Amino acid sequence: MKLKPLFAVLLGLLMVGVTAGSAAATPIHNQPAPQHNIGLGTVIFTWLKGDAIISEGHTWVPGTSAYVKTYKVRHNGYGAIHVSVFKWIPLGGYVTMTVMPDMTTYNFYGEHFKRDYIHSYEVAGHSFKVLVAHYDSWLSFGGWWEQEVKFNAGYGRHGIITVGMTEWPILDSLLERIGVKGKLTKAGKRLLDFVSNGSGDALADTIDLLLSGLNIDAAIFTEV
C-alpha cells in the first residue's frame, strides 16, 4: 500500500501553506478551482457568486504578501457568499466565523459544514452580521458552505472576512474583541472598519493586531 506516504505528502503541503494550484489537487465535489493566493497563511477560500456579480479582480493587502478577491456587484442584486476549507480537520472540530456587512440573507447550504447561527449586530456605528458554521465530518479533506444574500449593504465598498479555528474559546475571544460579547477593542474596531468600507489598510491592521496566526481569508465588494 502506498496510500500512507501519499497522505503524508499531501498533509505536509497543506500545513506549510500550499499554492492555489496545489490546493486544487485535493478536490471537493462541486468546488470551484481556487483563483487567488492562499496568501493570508490559510487554506480557506472566500468567493462571491451569482447574477449580481458584474466583474472580479484582486487587490494587494498593504504591508503583506497577500492579495484578496475584489468584486463589483449590483446593488440589490442576488448572489451568495461561498467559503471553502481545504484542510485535514483535526479532532476537536473546526469552526468558521464570517463577519460581513448587514445584508439580507436567505438559504444556507453546506458540505461537511453546518450553520450554527447568523445574527445581526450594531457596534459603534457599524452594522454587520456574524455567521458561525462548524465542520461536522471526520473523514474528508475539507468542505464548504454557501450563504445566499441580497447585496443591499449600501452603495460603495465593503469587506467580508472569514476566520477558521479549531477551538471554540478562540471564537468567543474574537466575538468579545469586536464588541459582540464584550468591550470593543482597537483591533476589533479595525476589523469592523474593514467590513464597513473594505479598506485594505484596515484589513492589514486586523491581520496584524487580531488575527495573526489564524487561518483567514477575505473578499472586498463594491455595490454599484
Side-chain angles (χ1 to χ4, degrees):
M1 294 290 289
K2 297 182 179 180
L3 292 178
K4 289 184 178 179
L6 177 59
F7 171 79
V9 171
L10 290 174
L11 181 58
L13 287 172
L14 286 170
M15 294 304 290
V16 300
V18 298
T19 64
S22 297
T26 56
I28 299 172
H29 182 60
N30 291 332
Q31 287 301 284
Q35 297 295 314
H36 63 304
N37 283 345
I38 295 178
L40 304 179
T42 181
V43 284
I44 297 175
F45 300 93
T46 303
W47 287 272
L48 301 185
K49 55 189 292 187
D51 295 338
I53 307 301
I54 298 171
S55 63
E56 63 180 75
H58 66 267
T59 186
W60 292 101
V61 181
T64 75
S65 60
Y67 69 84
V68 299
K69 295 284 284 186
T70 60
Y71 298 85
K72 184 182 291 185
V73 305
R74 293 182 179 86
H75 176 64
N76 284 331
Y78 294 90
I81 300 168
H82 185 108
V83 172
S84 298
V85 177
F86 294 82
K87 183 170 183 168
W88 179 256
I89 307 302
L91 292 176
Y94 193 82
V95 183
T96 62
M97 179 188 80
T98 298
V99 186
M100 67 187 79
D102 193 11
M103 300 179 285
T104 304
T105 54
Y106 302 97
N107 296 319
F108 176 93
Y109 306 95
E111 182 171 321
H112 304 311
F113 272 92
K114 291 184 178 180
R115 189 176 71 186
D116 289 279
Y117 61 82
I118 182 169
H119 294 320
S120 295
Y121 301 97
E122 185 166 348
V123 176
H126 297 279
S127 296
F128 59 97
K129 274 186 164 68
V130 174
L131 188 160
V132 174
H134 74 274
Y135 185 80
D136 68 343
S137 173
W138 309 109
L139 299 175
S140 79
F141 278 99
W144 59 268
W145 60 258
E146 188 167 294
Q147 175 65 59
E148 294 179 340
V149 300
K150 182 178 182 181
F151 291 103
N152 56 0
Y155 288 104
R157 186 164 157 133
H158 308 279
I160 298 170
I161 191 162
T162 298
V163 185
M165 62 209 85
T166 57
E167 298 181 24
W168 285 90
I170 298 176
L171 172 64
D172 289 336
S173 175
L174 291 175
L175 292 175
E176 288 176 1
R177 298 179 73 179
I178 64 174
V180 170
K181 291 187 174 183
K183 183 178 179 180
L184 178 66
T185 65
K186 177 183 177 181
K189 184 180 185 305
R190 293 304 280 159
L191 186 151
L192 298 183
D193 287 341
F194 169 70
V195 171
S196 293
N197 58 40
S199 164
D201 288 332
L203 177 58
D205 287 346
T206 298
I207 295 170
D208 183 50
L209 298 173
L210 185 62
L211 303 178
S212 177
L214 296 176
N215 294 334
I216 65 173
D217 195 31
I220 295 170
F221 68 94
T222 303
E223 289 186 23
V224 297

